[in-house]
Amino acid sequence: MVFTVKTAPKIVEYAAKHKLTFDENMCKGCDLCVWACPKDILKLDLERVNGKGYNPVVCFDIDGCTACGICARICPDSVIKVERDV
Amino acid sequence: MSKIVYEKSKGLSDVQLSYCPGCTHGIIHKLIAESLVELDLLDRTIAISPVGCSVMAYDFFNCDGIQASHGRAPAVACGLKRTNPDKIVFTYQGDGDLAAIGTAEIIHAAHRGDNVTVIFVNNAIYGMTGGQMAPTTLIDMKTSTSPLGRNEAMMGKPLLVSELLAQIPSATYIERVASHDVPNLNKAKRAIKKAFEYQAAGKGFSMVEILGTCPIGWNMTPADAMGFVKDTMMPYFPLGVYKDEGGNA
């Protein structure tokens, strides 16, 4: 029996040289990616909430992204997909 | 032309994790799922979930799962492995489950040398029930059942499970790792992969202890909790390989 919840994904993409894809409805606004990002280009959007009622993470400067993947590895809820331009 | 640096592992289902924001259970789930996918073991793996925060872990992995009674996950895993020796069986347990109520089961699973893998998440607190003191709670750490901090004279010193199990002659592989930053996550993933490789090769009992966080139970932000693991937990719970006899077995 499944007691847990599934919600429809809400995919948000940020693309410049490299590409970040967030599944916003999975985000719990825990701030770990913001804390871990070495380039400080992520923040929580305090103006709105996602399907779970948390402030989702947004990227405000995708040009600064180096596609290191640290945010995606530290995220407990597998919100972030990172693609590197090669 | 772009290359995927990181995406959600195929070993995880699309169910939303039931953990609090910033809890390292989710990070450790990802490491297990990635290891099983990379070793191509996922389709014959059975996860045994414990009682605790991770009680619904069987929903989160893309493999079969069983939920065991409190502390009895190693006993269920041993029975399952003995009747299905071709399956990969792992238990996923917290410190209240493994180090408190399930002490007898984990010690005797290691003592029999059963060919199972135990993933032990040590966050020094009973998370699900509301942040009570666990055997692994650090000295002077405030919890809901030790509001003045853990008192060494009355409550003893925290239990060192990896050191304890490394004394057991039949155990094959015991390692303690941490999950508070990406370099340590890479080491943790290598340890988990090694434990599953040993099990697939029939080398015997393996346990990986992972230091995790409980931001809600510790009354910290997730980022501060990561710092607490590094600054306060790691000096008392030293990381490292405590036993590795996989090469000789």
Side-chain angles (χ1 to χ4, degrees), chain B:
Chain B
M1 178 63 192
S2 69
K3 186 185 120 200
I4 293 174
V5 177
Y6 192 93
E7 66 175 340
K8 185 169 181 171
S9 170
K10 302 266 185 296
L12 291 171
S13 66
D14 55 358
V15 174
Q16 292 197 336
L17 304 186
S18 58
Y19 306 118
C20 308
C23 173
T24 48
H25 272 308
I27 304 178
I28 298 164
H29 278 28
K30 294 199 310 185
L31 300 179
I32 297 172
E34 288 163 18
S35 306
L36 289 170
V37 169
E38 286 169 24
L39 294 169
D40 199 17
L41 297 173
L42 189 69
D43 52 350
R44 59 188 179 103
T45 299
I46 302 173
I48 318 283
S49 60
V51 172
C53 295
S54 47
V55 65
M56 287 187 284
Y58 53 81
D59 271 350
F60 305 145
F61 294 109
N62 262 340
C63 63
D64 286 325
I66 297 176
Q67 202 274 313
S69 309
H70 202 354
R72 274 67 192 174
V76 175
C78 293
L80 204 58
K81 184 72 184 182
R82 287 180 179 216
T83 48
N84 297 278
D86 58 321
K87 301 285 189 238
I88 299 294
V89 182
F90 77 90
T91 73
Y92 184 94
Q93 298 177 267
D95 51 336
D97 189 75
L98 184 142
I101 195 163
T103 322
E105 278 71 20
I106 187 67
I107 286 184
H108 284 284
H111 155 237
R112 290 187 303 264
D114 267 297
N115 189 21
V116 297
T117 300
V118 175
I119 310 293
F120 169 37
V121 182
N122 179 359
N123 58 11
I125 207 164
Y126 278 85
M128 186 186 75
T129 49
Q132 287 86 358
M133 193 183 83
T136 43
T137 298
L138 297 165
I139 300 289
D140 293 334
M141 194 167 161
K142 287 181 183 166
T143 67
S144 56
T145 49
S146 59
L148 302 176
R150 181 174 178 153
N151 178 347
E152 189 187 330
M154 201 157 73
M155 302 154 186
K157 290 183 182 172
L159 186 64
L160 295 163
V161 176
S162 288
E163 283 86 338
L164 178 71
L165 293 186
Q167 308 299 318
I168 297 177
S170 298
T172 303
Y173 176 57
I174 311 286
E175 180 166 356
R176 186 186 282 127
V177 291
S179 62
H180 65 278
D181 58 15
V182 170
N184 278 288
L185 287 177
N186 292 339
K187 287 181 195 160
K189 188 171 164 187
R190 276 202 291 277
I192 292 170
K193 266 177 111 165
K194 197 169 176 183
F196 283 127
E197 278 169 355
Y198 280 1
Q199 186 185 155
K203 290 186 175 173
F205 181 86
S206 50
M207 188 192 79
V208 181
E209 174 177 350
I210 305 168
L211 301 182
T213 67
C214 180
I216 304 292
W218 295 355
N219 290 322
M220 290 179 192
T221 65
D224 289 346
M226 294 301 211
F228 183 83
V229 170
K230 183 171 174 239
D231 301 331
T232 315
M233 279 183 87
M234 273 170 57
Y236 188 82
F237 296 105
L239 307 186
V241 181
Y242 286 88
K243 189 167 190 185
D244 186 359
E245 294 187 346
N248 317 324

Side-chain angles (χ1 to χ4, degrees), chain A residues 9-12 14 22-28 45 48-52 54 56-58 79:
Chain A
K10 184 186 175 195
I11 307 295
V12 180
Y14 300 88
F22 296 158
D23 184 354
E24 273 196 2
N25 275 348
M26 294 291 269
C27 182
K28 290 180 186 159
D45 187 351
R48 63 197 175 95
V49 291
N50 66 6
K52 290 169 76 89
Y54 295 111
V57 64
V58 293
V79 172

